[in-house]
Amino acid sequence: MSLDCHHCYGKEPAVNGIANGEAPPGTEGPEEPAGTETPEAPAAEEQAPVPVVVEEEEEHHELTGMFLEKPSDTVAIKGQDITFIAKVDSTTLVRKPVIKWLKGKWMDLGSKAGKHLQFKETIDKNTKVFTFEMKVVKVVPGDAGGYRCEVSAKDKCDSCSFEITVEEAETQGEEDILSAFKREGAGEDEGELDFSSLLKAVKKKKKAVPKVEETDVWALLKNAHPSEYEKIAFEYGITDLRGMLKRLKKMKESEEKTSDAFIKRLDSAYSVDKGKKIVLSVELVDPNAEIKWLRNGQEIKPSAKYIMERNGNIATLTINKCSLADDAAYECVVGTEKSFTEVFVKEPPVTITKLMDDYHVVVGERVEFEVEVSEEGANVMWFLEDKELVRTENSKYRFKKDGKRHWLIIQEATLEDIGMYHCYTNGGHTKGELEVEEKELQVLQSIADLTVKPAEQAMFKCEVSDEKVTGKWYKDGVEVQPSDRIKISHIGRFHRLTIDNVKPADAGDYTFVPDGYALSLAAKLNFLEIKVDYVPRQDPPKIHLDVAGNMVTQNTVIVVAGNKLRLDVEISGEPPPTVVWAKGDKVVDAKEGRVRVETRTGLSSFVIEGAERDDEANYSITVTNPAGEDKANLFIKIVDVPDPPEHVKCTGVGEDCATMTWEPPQFDGGVPLKGYLMERKKKGSSRWTKLNFDMYESTTYEAKRMIEGILYEMRVFAVNGVGISQPSLNSKPFMPIGPTSEPTKLTVHDVSDSTVHLRWLAPEKIGAGGLDGYIIEYCKEGDTEWQAANTEPVDKQNFVVRNMPTGEKMNFRVVAVNIAGRSPPALLGQPVTVREIMEHPKIRLPRFLRQKYIRQVGDTINLSIPFQGKPRPQATWLKDGKPVDDKKINVRNSNVDTILFIRSAEREHSGKYTLVLQIENMEDTASIDIRIVEKPGPPIAVKVTEVWGFNAALEWQPPKDDGNCEILGYLVQKADKKTNEWFTVYECNRRTNCSASELVMGNEYSFRVFSVNMCGPSEDPGVSKNTAKILKPSIGFTAPPYQEMDMNCAPLFTTPLVDRSVIQGYSAAMSCAVKAFPRPKIIWMKNNMLLGEDPKYLMMNNQGVLTLNIRKLGMFDGGKYICKAVNPLGEAAVECKLEIRPQPVLEKK
């Protein structure tokens, strides 16, 4: 038997009318002086290489104020958290506002969001106000500097700057006396009370931020060694190294010389950011001299990009929207004199938008580290640890870039390439780890023994794990050479040796040896000779099974799933016997198909094409003839790669590790499992990293060398003698996180007979797992069994442990808990004796209550008086020596303070209040003088006592009710009988009498007086019962007879209307004057049409001066305007023409 198997900054213009000479709507106000600079946040990280006049390019956004609330300058303490808030009103915005947080001029903080920088955005749907927050966690000195917040929405934008100053944290001294004012120690329901706002603020001097000096990059280049040029160029963003060297050479050759043409030459070099504009300026001796501007030796023609201007003897060249093409040498030529300069265009920082992945490969595999940056054509630098990788002829590293993507390629990795690879741009950094393992060759299918007949074909086939591996075939130790009859092939992972027309000499031991590996695969070729013997005519049938091959043992045939099985069984007998194959009890008689039987003389073949798992069964072959019967049983075993492992999950995590478990595959392929292979990847990445190359036999694995806070996924392969299974389903994403460090500064805050109050601070290291709370545990001194005081973690950093045995010494510890488990415990230095300490009662009366406490009627009085004492003192309030009335005054006492509350104060609440604090026979007292005041009553008996000349004397008596406080003075007013309008004579007269002067002759005056105290003037005045009449002196005069003049006249315009020419958008006023009696009726008409009650037109008549005001003139407001005056004696009219001119288009500078 044989076996065969196969920015923007700005202000909105004001809208005014023409009448007061202001600009019309839509026009801009006066420009700022040329020397005015737009305020910007100080750049802490980047400085301009050389001084330069750089103007911001005009933005296409509308300049508007969008912030409701802006971040402000902050002095932060190192190690603390700070939060900046910006609010934007979106009611008038078309689109959602977009915000950017920047440090310095260019660094976008959005790409650095993580543990240190956290960003949050919320919206109030009712008011449509967006709130943007930036939180800096645990401030470090590197966070100091200038920051900018930019918000934009379609055609609107706004910007504001703020600064962070970082100071060292001050060491905490002993707790001051105001710690007793903290209500936190009172218990769980007393809330907080803090009197720190009553103390005078102590202003700390703000530390001066050291000013970073501007660096002249060209001065650095001139003084630097040529070997440092490339490093300086990369640091300051210079991209054209060859051009830099040429210009540097010119700069060294051209020194400043005295000139007959130039008073002030161009600077040696200018620096400008890409996209901005720059102004090159020279001062000439002759203001009328002709000049030329050259760029790289070519004359520059005036255009929208290049603007040339002359102002006296100052000549300027303005370059708008600078690009990298403008990075060139420029000359200003006056006659034979030249002034040279270099313009250096600086690109904005390039950030990394796609980070590097980690690689885990074997020796000889290709590695491609890929990153993606924010700008096309940007320069990046690659490093292995601290060594820069550069391109050389013999370098194994290749660098490739396509648009924004950049690659570092290692064609064949070796063990020397292991390490951390870094990629740097001038605005970002990323890294990825490369792990290289020794290559191990796995035999997926070994060669099998063959038994063939003369002239048949023999094929040895094997499969290895690496398709690149080559090898040699040997027969009896001698290398097999290919020929017309012997063929050697290598396709992918399969290696074949095919021998056609097998001869007896081909029998022997064949071996396949892979190149470079100490491994060999051996099999035997058996040659089956056909012998013709004389057989009697009556010979019983017989089955001849060949069991020489190692694949057939104890009538069991092992076949790899998917391969072809051919069982050739020799049969003898005379007459020729009948052959029957059966699978179990079912006869297999198909001549064609996947499972078939082929019969020839003396030979029966059972063939299975592409063996499947269902083909595994007990098979039998039965041969019969008249001379007898023979039967043989075979078991065909189908082996396959195993099923994938199941239920891969993470059962535990650490700071940089995770424990994974899985279940073995349901089907092991019919071959015992050799072990498992594991792979992991970052969530969202498509790059899987191998975790092991040797077989791992357990179903629990601890994956290490992971990054805390990063989500990972994992999958597992099962391996048996046939091959590797398909990968398992990915595990649920898991994140390596470690427990926090122990809580810090655990102290005992208070002790009573049955409770212990503990306080502590948060752990110094929390990590990505956060902090879920704290568990407090205790045990008696000498015991080792700790008991938990709380079943659920507490969030607060203080806890009261209750039900403690009085007099016992107890140990306490606090443990921080998060998703990763428990932290190391924080222990007290020594046991605590549970016994309350007697403390004398002491009232801490606030400073403002040590003087008279004054409030107005109707005010709310809420006085909180902290005290101390143990055990809990008994607090009692007295008013004027008697207990307070509970119906009128509310009192609430706690362990650490007492509160006196009056909802609405009345005059009767005034008095002396005494607080008595008592513990057994010890007590302490404090008094508070409370006065409730209101406005006084009016003065009484106000009268005029004397009148002389233009003066009058007044007297009155103080009011009966002074409002429970001192009368500060009196408010005196007068009124004449004609108008009855009151005017103030004295605002605050201290005495109860006064004199009013400068009275008008012939008038009669009344007087009233108000009482004034600290609450204000009295509600009602005291009015004088008599008056003061200023008499005229008697003079004899006889008036002549009066002849009344006739004033009647027809309307007559004394001043006509004047023709006007006004710019569209302005307001216009047209005036004329008319005299007439009786008073005429005034009619205004436009183009003989009456002007109605349109609010656009305002008509006024002031003593015969007639004015027509027209607001915001449009082009349709032009025409003929007529003013007509009509009275019973006649009528008159005047007219004028109003011409409307369109707004001129202002040229923008």
Side-chain angles (χ1 to χ4, degrees):
M1 179 186 69
S2 65
L3 175 65
D4 182 17
C5 303
H6 309 271
H7 325 281
C8 58
Y9 304 90
K11 301 178 181 178
E12 288 188 342
V15 178
N16 298 306
I18 192 172
N20 52 12
E22 295 179 358
T27 61
E28 297 186 359
E31 296 183 350
E32 295 181 354
T36 303
E37 295 183 357
T38 302
E40 275 192 75
E45 295 189 2
E46 297 188 27
Q47 300 293 335
V50 292
V52 62
V53 182
V54 180
E55 298 181 5
E56 294 285 345
E57 182 184 351
E58 294 183 2
E59 298 286 341
H60 296 290
H61 294 294
E62 178 184 352
L63 306 178
T64 175
M66 299 172 63
F67 286 104
L68 295 179
E69 181 179 338
K70 299 181 179 181
S72 59
D73 294 350
T74 301
V75 178
I77 305 300
K78 179 182 176 183
Q80 294 185 357
D81 300 349
I82 55 174
T83 303
F84 296 93
I85 298 177
K87 293 186 178 180
V88 178
D89 186 2
S90 64
T91 53
T92 60
L93 303 181
V94 180
R95 294 181 181 175
K96 172 186 173 184
V98 178
I99 198 163
K100 278 187 178 181
W101 298 90
L102 306 173
K103 182 176 181 183
K105 292 184 178 179
W106 297 109
M107 183 180 292
D108 188 351
L109 301 180
S111 61
K112 300 186 179 296
K115 299 179 186 177
H116 187 59
L117 290 176
Q118 299 176 4
F119 301 93
K120 182 179 178 183
E121 173 185 330
T122 57
I123 180 175
D124 188 339
K125 295 184 179 179
N126 296 326
T127 60
K128 294 186 178 180
V129 173
F130 281 83
T131 302
F132 301 94
E133 296 183 9
M134 180 181 74
K135 183 177 181 181
V136 184
V137 180
K138 292 187 177 179
V139 176
V140 297
D143 294 325
Y147 290 76
R148 193 166 76 256
C149 175
E150 293 183 355
V151 62
S152 61
K154 198 176 179 180
D155 57 345
K156 296 185 178 181
C157 70
D158 199 358
S159 174
C160 69
S161 301
F162 59 97
E163 186 173 343
I164 298 178
T165 303
V166 179
E167 295 184 351
E168 291 292 334
E170 295 183 358
T171 56
Q172 296 289 339
E174 294 185 359
E175 201 172 57
D176 61 350
I177 197 170
L178 286 179
S179 62
F181 287 13
K182 299 290 182 179
R183 191 179 225 176
E184 298 173 354
E188 298 177 356
D189 58 346
E190 269 91 18
E192 291 188 12
L193 185 66
D194 188 356
F195 284 94
S196 60
S197 60
L198 304 176
L199 303 177
K200 292 185 179 180
V202 179
K203 295 185 179 179
K204 297 182 179 180
K205 294 184 179 180
K206 186 176 178 181
K207 295 184 179 180
V209 179
K211 185 176 179 181
V212 180
E213 298 182 358
E214 294 185 347
T215 305
D216 188 345
V217 64
W218 299 107
L220 283 177
L221 289 169
K222 285 181 181 180
N223 300 325
H225 191 273
S227 62
E228 297 179 355
Y229 285 174
E230 185 175 358
K231 179 180 178 182
I232 296 174
F234 182 83
E235 182 179 355
Y236 289 90
I238 300 176
T239 56
D240 186 3
L241 298 180
R242 182 174 298 177
M244 179 195 75
L245 295 174
K246 291 181 180 179
R247 295 169 202 165
L248 188 62
K249 183 177 179 181
K250 284 186 179 179
M251 290 170 59
K252 290 182 178 180
E253 293 176 353
S254 60
E255 298 294 337
E256 192 72 27
K257 299 178 181 179
T258 57
S259 171
D260 296 334
F262 296 99
I263 298 176
K264 181 181 178 183
R265 292 176 173 269
L266 295 170
D267 292 339
S268 60
Y270 292 85
S271 174
V272 64
D273 293 324
K274 182 180 177 182
K276 305 298 183 180
K277 71 178 179 181
I278 186 173
V279 178
L280 309 181
S281 175
V282 296
E283 187 175 354
L284 306 177
V285 175
D286 183 4
N288 299 320
E290 293 186 2
I291 66 171
K292 292 182 181 180
W293 293 93
L294 306 181
R295 174 178 171 272
N296 287 340
Q298 301 295 324
E299 185 175 355
I300 301 174
K301 300 297 182 181
S303 63
K305 183 176 182 65
Y306 299 101
I307 301 175
M308 304 172 188
E309 296 178 312
R310 296 283 294 272
N311 184 8
N313 60 347
I314 303 296
T316 59
L317 170 65
T318 303
I319 307 173
N320 292 316
K321 295 183 180 179
C322 291
S323 63
L324 293 179
D326 297 315
D327 193 296
Y330 291 82
E331 303 174 40
C332 179
V333 181
V334 179
T336 58
E337 295 283 343
K338 296 181 180 180
S339 178
F340 296 90
T341 190
E342 307 289 336
V343 172
F344 162 48
V345 180
K346 185 178 180 182
E347 293 186 277
V350 178
T351 59
I352 297 177
T353 58
K354 180 181 178 183
L355 304 179
M356 292 169 60
D357 287 328
D358 296 335
Y359 270 85
H360 194 145
V361 299
V362 297
V363 174
E365 285 190 349
R366 176 186 173 97
V367 178
E368 289 188 5
F369 285 110
E370 179 185 357
V371 297
E372 186 173 330
V373 297
S374 58
E375 298 288 340
E376 291 189 5
N379 287 334
V380 302
M381 296 181 69
W382 297 91
F383 285 82
L384 170 56
E385 302 297 349
D386 297 330
K387 178 183 177 183
E388 184 179 0
L389 305 179
V390 295
R391 190 195 310 269
T392 60
E393 291 185 7
N394 301 324
S395 175
K396 64 190 299 183
Y397 303 105
R398 291 180 50 214
F399 305 94
K400 176 183 174 184
K401 64 180 178 179
D402 181 12
K404 296 181 180 180
R405 297 194 297 171
H406 295 253
W407 291 269
L408 168 63
I409 301 173
I410 305 175
Q411 201 66 33
E412 294 183 356
T414 63
L415 295 178
E416 297 176 355
D417 297 324
I418 296 175
M420 188 68 71
Y421 287 78
H422 302 262
C423 179
Y424 293 91
T425 66
N426 59 353
H429 165 239
T430 181
K431 62 181 180 180
E433 185 178 12
L434 174 61
E435 295 181 359
V436 183
E437 296 279 353
E438 286 284 0
K439 184 186 299 183
E440 180 179 347
L441 188 67
Q442 297 179 0
V443 179
L444 305 180
Q445 179 182 340
S446 183
I447 58 178
D449 294 345
L450 298 178
T451 301
V452 296
K453 295 180 180 180
E456 288 187 347
Q457 183 188 73
M459 178 186 293
F460 291 101
K461 181 178 72 172
C462 65
E463 182 183 1
V464 295
S465 59
D466 191 349
E467 61 183 17
K468 297 180 181 179
V469 171
T470 60
K472 295 182 177 61
W473 291 90
Y474 294 88
K475 175 181 177 292
D476 297 330
V478 180
E479 184 177 354
V480 178
Q481 300 297 332
S483 64
D484 295 339
R485 193 169 61 87
I486 301 175
K487 298 180 177 59
I488 299 175
S489 64
H490 173 202
I491 302 175
R493 296 183 298 185
F494 291 93
H495 297 261
R496 291 182 177 87
L497 171 63
T498 306
I499 305 174
D500 296 328
N501 192 16
V502 175
K503 298 177 181 179
D506 296 326
D509 293 327
Y510 286 82
T511 306
F512 175 73
V513 179
D515 294 337
Y517 294 92
L519 176 68
S520 63
L521 308 177
K524 189 173 184 180
L525 177 62
N526 299 309
F527 183 77
L528 181 63
E529 292 192 54
I530 300 177
K531 299 179 180 180
V532 180
D533 296 329
Y534 173 74
V535 180
R537 293 184 63 84
Q538 292 291 330
D539 188 9
K542 187 171 182 59
I543 299 173
H544 302 276
L545 285 178
D546 182 7
V547 294
N550 59 4
M551 294 296 288
V552 180
T553 59
Q554 297 180 353
N555 290 354
T556 299
V557 180
I558 300 176
V559 184
V560 177
N563 288 359
K564 177 181 178 181
L565 171 66
R566 184 183 185 90
L567 294 175
D568 294 331
V569 181
E570 295 181 12
I571 301 170
S572 62
E574 189 66 29
T578 302
V579 181
V580 177
W581 287 87
K583 178 181 180 183
D585 298 333
K586 184 179 180 181
V587 176
V588 179
D589 55 2
K591 304 299 182 183
E592 295 181 355
R594 188 180 66 84
V595 181
R596 63 184 183 272
V597 176
E598 298 176 358
T599 304
R600 295 195 298 273
T601 302
L603 186 68
S604 179
S605 300
F606 182 73
V607 181
I608 301 178
E609 296 280 359
E612 299 176 354
R613 292 183 183 178
D614 294 339
D615 295 328
E616 182 174 318
N618 287 308
Y619 291 82
S620 65
I621 177 173
T622 305
V623 294
T624 58
N625 71 354
E629 180 182 275
D630 194 8
K631 183 176 181 180
N633 293 320
L634 296 172
F635 178 68
I636 298 180
K637 183 176 182 180
I638 308 298
V639 296
D640 196 358
V641 295
D643 289 344
E646 298 179 341
H647 304 119
V648 180
K649 60 183 178 181
C650 175
T651 59
V653 294
E655 185 174 356
D656 61 348
C657 61
T659 302
M660 308 299 299
T661 62
W662 60 89
E663 295 179 6
Q666 291 185 355
F667 176 64
D668 61 1
V671 182
L673 292 176
K674 291 185 177 181
Y676 302 93
L677 298 175
M678 285 73 72
E679 292 183 348
R680 75 159 185 248
K681 73 177 182 69
K682 297 176 183 176
K683 181 175 173 55
S685 174
S686 60
R687 176 73 63 182
W688 287 94
T689 302
K690 293 180 181 179
L691 298 182
N692 65 312
F693 289 89
D694 297 330
M695 292 300 107
Y696 187 79
E697 298 180 358
S698 175
T699 57
T700 301
Y701 180 78
E702 184 178 4
K704 299 182 179 180
R705 302 185 68 181
M706 291 188 283
I707 302 174
E708 184 179 9
I710 301 296
L711 284 173
Y712 289 90
E713 294 177 352
M714 191 166 175
R715 66 184 183 185
V716 183
F717 299 81
V719 182
N720 63 6
V722 178
I724 303 175
S725 71
Q726 292 295 317
S728 67
L729 295 176
N730 294 354
S731 68
K732 291 184 179 179
F734 60 91
M735 181 185 296
I737 50 179
T740 69
S741 60
E742 69 276 5
T744 59
K745 298 185 179 180
L746 175 60
T747 57
V748 177
H749 179 67
D750 193 11
V751 181
S752 69
D753 287 340
S754 62
T755 62
V756 176
H757 189 182
L758 303 176
R759 284 186 177 180
W760 61 89
L761 296 180
E764 293 181 355
K765 178 183 177 184
I766 295 180
L771 181 61
D772 296 338
Y774 302 92
I775 298 293
I776 296 86
E777 297 177 337
Y778 62 89
C779 73
K780 292 184 179 180
E781 185 182 17
D783 290 352
T784 58
E785 183 178 353
W786 292 88
Q787 299 181 22
N790 56 319
T791 56
E792 297 293 331
V794 296
D795 296 333
K796 296 181 179 179
Q797 294 175 3
N798 63 84
F799 188 80
V800 179
V801 184
R802 304 183 184 277
N803 301 322
M804 293 284 99
T806 304
E808 290 286 350
K809 290 188 177 181
M810 307 294 292
N811 289 317
F812 294 90
R813 70 181 185 183
V814 180
V815 178
V817 180
N818 67 359
I819 192 174
R822 294 161 56 99
S823 72
L827 293 168
L828 282 175
Q830 57 188 5
V832 179
T833 302
V834 183
R835 180 180 293 111
E836 190 164 27
I837 302 172
M838 180 69 71
E839 183 180 353
H840 285 270
K842 180 67 176 178
I843 300 174
R844 301 292 185 183
L845 190 65
R847 184 174 300 172
F848 72 97
L849 293 178
R850 297 174 187 173
Q851 54 191 3
K852 188 174 293 184
Y853 186 74
I854 300 175
R855 283 292 180 269
Q856 295 187 24
V857 173
D859 287 354
T860 298
I861 297 177
N862 188 4
L863 302 179
S864 180
I865 313 299
F867 56 75
Q868 64 188 37
K870 292 183 181 180
R872 177 175 176 175
Q874 180 71 28
T876 306
W877 283 92
L878 304 175
K879 179 188 176 187
D880 298 329
K882 298 179 180 180
V884 297
D885 188 354
D886 296 339
K887 297 181 180 179
K888 299 180 180 179
I889 301 174
N890 297 320
V891 175
R892 188 173 75 93
N893 298 326
S894 69
N895 292 340
V896 294
D897 67 0
T898 178
I899 295 177
L900 178 72
F901 179 77
I902 303 175
R903 187 173 301 278
S904 180
E906 300 293 341
R907 290 270 293 274
E908 61 182 351
H909 292 140
S910 300
K912 182 177 181 180
Y913 289 78
T914 304
L915 173 62
V916 180
L917 197 66
Q918 188 170 9
I919 300 176
E920 296 181 358
N921 60 347
M922 299 178 292
E923 71 173 26
D924 189 17
T925 60
S927 297
I928 304 174
D929 190 1
I930 298 178
R931 178 181 294 184
I932 309 301
V933 300
E934 62 180 344
K935 293 182 178 180
I940 58 177
V942 180
K943 61 182 179 180
V944 179
T945 58
E946 183 180 0
V947 178
W948 72 97
F950 301 103
N951 307 300
L954 301 176
E955 285 185 359
W956 60 87
Q957 295 180 7
K960 295 180 180 180
D961 182 10
D962 61 0
N964 203 24
C965 61
E966 179 187 1
I967 298 295
L968 301 178
Y970 299 91
L971 173 65
V972 182
Q973 294 183 337
K974 67 179 179 181
D976 63 79
K977 292 294 185 178
K978 294 181 181 178
T979 62
N980 284 328
E981 292 183 3
W982 292 96
F983 298 92
T984 299
V985 179
Y986 295 101
E987 287 188 353
C988 186
N989 187 68
R990 298 282 183 179
R991 296 172 295 174
T992 57
N993 57 75
C994 70
S995 60
S997 58
E998 298 183 0
L999 303 180
V1000 178
M1001 182 173 58
N1003 287 351
E1004 185 177 358
Y1005 290 90
S1006 296
F1007 296 90
R1008 66 182 183 183
V1009 182
F1010 293 86
S1011 303
V1012 180
N1013 65 4
M1014 63 181 299
C1015 298
S1018 59
E1019 298 288 346
D1020 300 319
V1023 182
S1024 61
K1025 296 182 179 180
N1026 55 344
T1027 61
K1029 187 173 183 180
I1030 309 304
L1031 299 177
K1032 299 179 181 179
S1034 58
I1035 299 175
F1037 174 73
T1038 302
Y1042 175 69
Q1043 182 74 31
E1044 185 175 357
M1045 182 177 181
D1046 185 9
M1047 302 297 295
N1048 294 332
C1049 70
L1052 174 65
F1053 282 93
T1054 58
T1055 303
L1057 293 173
V1058 180
D1059 293 344
R1060 300 292 303 274
S1061 177
V1062 185
I1063 297 176
Q1064 176 189 0
Y1066 283 64
S1067 297
M1070 295 178 285
S1071 300
C1072 59
V1074 64
K1075 73 173 183 176
F1077 193 83
R1079 185 170 181 171
K1081 177 182 179 181
I1082 307 302
I1083 301 172
W1084 286 92
M1085 293 183 289
K1086 173 190 173 186
N1087 296 331
N1088 295 322
M1089 299 293 293
L1090 289 176
L1091 299 179
E1093 299 299 327
D1094 191 342
K1096 184 181 180 71
Y1097 303 99
L1098 178 62
M1099 308 169 193
M1100 294 184 292
N1101 183 352
N1102 185 13
Q1103 301 293 330
V1105 177
L1106 310 179
T1107 305
L1108 174 64
N1109 285 318
I1110 307 174
R1111 299 176 60 251
K1112 295 184 179 179
L1113 290 170
M1115 297 301 295
F1116 55 86
D1117 288 323
K1120 181 174 71 174
Y1121 285 81
I1122 301 174
C1123 181
K1124 181 182 291 186
V1126 181
N1127 73 356
L1129 300 180
E1131 65 179 33
V1134 291
E1135 64 181 34
C1136 71
K1137 289 184 179 180
L1138 177 62
E1139 178 187 357
I1140 307 301
R1141 290 179 289 143
Q1143 279 192 3
V1145 178
L1146 300 179
E1147 182 180 355
K1148 297 183 179 180
K1149 294 184 180 181

